[in-house]
Structure formats: C-alpha cells, structure tokens
Amino acid sequence: MARASRAETCVVACAEAWRGDGEVLASAMGVVPTIGARLARLTFAPDLLLTDGEATLMADVPSLGSKGEVAEGWLPYRRHLALVTGGRRHVMMGASQLDRHGNQNISCIGDWERPARQLLGVRGAPVNTLNNPTSYWIPRHSPRVLVERVDMVSGVGYDRAAAAGPSATRFHRIRRVVTDLAVLDFETPDRTMRLRSLHPGVTAEEVREATGFPLVVPATVPFTRTPTDAELRLIREVIDPAGLREGEVRA
C-alpha cells in the first residue's frame, strides 16, 4: 500500500499505548486516539472495551461517524465512574499544557485569579490520573503546550503525586505521550519526560526545539513503528474511510 502518512503513524503510536491492557475500557479523546483504540481492538488487543461515547459498550467496531450495530453492555454515567475509580480504564486525554513531570492543564491559561483564557475546566482529570492509567495525545507539539510549568494542574503528574503520598501514587501511572513529532514517556529515575521514539522524518533536535523544557534524550532513539499493510487497510477502509485523521495532524 501507499506509504503511511504522519497521521497514520500517530494512530499506531496511540494504539500501542493500549497493548497488553486486557479487558479495560479504552477512553480515547480525539480523532487519532479514537482510531488508535479501534485499531488496537481489531488487531492485538481484542479484549479492549469500546464505548460509543454515550452509554453503550460496542461489540463491533464501526467506522468513525457510524453507530455500532451490536451492543455488549450498558455503561451509564454512574457505572462509568465506578470503572474509573476501580482502575478498569485507560484514558488518553488531550492537554492544553503538559510539563516535564506529566502535570496537565485543561482549565485556564494565565494566572488563576485573572486568566487570559478559560478552557474546559478541570473536569475528571484528577480522578483519571490518580485511579487508572493515563496517556496523552498532543496533535501540535510546541513549547506552548510542552511547558516548563503548567498554569494550573488539572491532571496530576509524577512530582505532585509523590508529594501527596502513597494514597496518590498507588494507582498513578502516565504511560505514554504521543505527539505529531514523537512518542514520549516517563521511564527515567526521577520520572521526568523522556523521548521514547521519533516519528519517521523527525530529528531529536526538532523535538528538543519544540519542547519548552530540557527533555531527556537517550543516546540512541528508535523510530516509531509505522503501520503494517494490514493495519493501513483497517485504518483507511474500515475505521476512517473519510480520512478524518489527516485533519488532526498537520504533517
């Protein structure tokens, strides 16, 4: 098949975040993560639970914009909350700001008392990060998003979880950060952000320049794996035939 686009490489990188999770709810926020979760379900993670975004667990895997035809369960809000607090979910959230420790901001930009921009609000980010695995999707890797210090903490990072003690660290885990340039993680002794892989065509220097803090860069950084032909067919013909993924990733 034709060579994978940057968006399709990002889809696979997001899918890989759920590898090995077993029977947990994959909560994907954003077009590329949603395609990634569905790709994982159709390939190496058949036990993943997928929701239609409302109150139904889907037994099938419809294309984006289509409704599932087969329901395998009912997931109203109260049961969704029970899943979250019980750790049976892996969420991939977005972030308006994310710092080197994994603290996320989706609430406001600027000083809390008089912010320059009002955003979504804290919402469920603290509970997500303290009770079940969390990953992040950043479609525009830039120093405005990857910042030295977030203006407000919505999702809890490794430093703040450690400061809060065992009750906060027991289930806290930030597994992966996928951007349009690279994949990052926190697998360092002090749990600060590390470059895990570079998307094909991207250099480590480009990622450094697009990051607003000193990033841990190993001596050797592999490239993010690209989709197989079978995965490309699923992405292009089954999950996202309308090509919505290309509108979320610039390259």
Side-chain angles (χ1 to χ4, degrees):
M1 300 191 74
R3 187 173 67 89
S5 68
R6 179 71 59 78
E8 289 163 342
T9 297
C10 291
V11 164
V12 167
C14 288
E16 286 288 346
W18 284 286
R19 186 181 286 273
D21 273 355
E23 191 176 332
V24 303
L25 179 64
S27 288
M29 301 180 186
V31 171
V32 167
T34 298
I35 300 169
R38 296 185 187 193
L39 180 65
R41 166 74 172 265
L42 288 171
T43 53
F44 53 77
D47 292 331
L48 276 182
L49 301 176
L50 299 178
T51 173
D52 64 354
E54 296 182 4
T56 303
L57 291 172
M58 303 184 299
D60 56 352
V61 182
S63 63
L64 293 190
S66 301
K67 282 192 170 292
E69 296 182 0
V70 184
E72 67 175 350
W74 175 240
L75 193 66
Y77 190 60
R78 64 183 180 278
R79 291 186 61 188
H80 200 143
L81 288 176
L83 257 178
V84 174
T85 55
R88 301 300 299 166
R89 183 176 79 147
H90 178 176
V91 60
M92 182 170 282
M93 295 192 288
S96 300
Q97 293 178 330
L98 194 68
D99 69 21
R100 71 174 72 192
H101 300 285
N103 294 293
Q104 170 228 36
N105 175 24
I106 53 172
S107 185
C108 66
I109 300 298
D111 184 81
W112 167 252
E113 293 186 359
R114 195 176 181 83
R117 296 286 186 274
Q118 175 65 53
L119 307 175
L120 288 172
V122 175
R123 302 178 72 85
V127 174
N128 288 341
T129 48
L130 294 183
N131 287 278
N132 49 235
T134 300
S135 293
Y136 290 103
W137 161 239
I138 309 293
R140 299 286 184 271
H141 190 136
S142 80
R144 293 181 62 183
V145 180
L146 281 297
V147 297
E148 179 67 36
R149 183 182 178 87
V150 297
D151 292 339
M152 179 186 171
V153 175
S154 302
V156 179
Y158 278 102
D159 58 340
R160 289 179 178 269
S167 63
T169 58
R170 184 178 179 187
F171 301 113
H172 179 266
R173 185 180 180 189
I174 305 173
R175 184 169 297 168
R176 203 74 54 89
V177 179
V178 180
T179 80
D180 60 330
L181 299 181
V183 179
L184 308 114
D185 62 26
F186 298 87
E187 295 180 17
T188 56
D190 60 353
R191 291 296 194 179
T192 54
M193 196 179 292
R194 178 190 75 150
L195 180 58
R196 182 185 182 96
S197 70
L198 293 162
H199 298 336
V202 179
T203 67
E205 189 56 35
E206 286 179 289
V207 175
R208 282 194 181 100
E209 290 177 357
T211 305
F213 51 81
L215 185 66
V216 178
V217 179
T220 302
V221 182
F223 283 112
T224 308
R225 83 168 180 90
T226 54
T228 64
D229 283 350
E231 289 172 330
L232 279 176
R233 288 189 186 94
L234 288 171
I235 293 168
R236 296 173 180 179
E237 300 173 12
V238 177
I239 306 172
D240 184 28
L244 298 178
R245 61 194 178 276
E246 303 298 338
E248 197 166 64
V249 178
R250 184 177 300 157

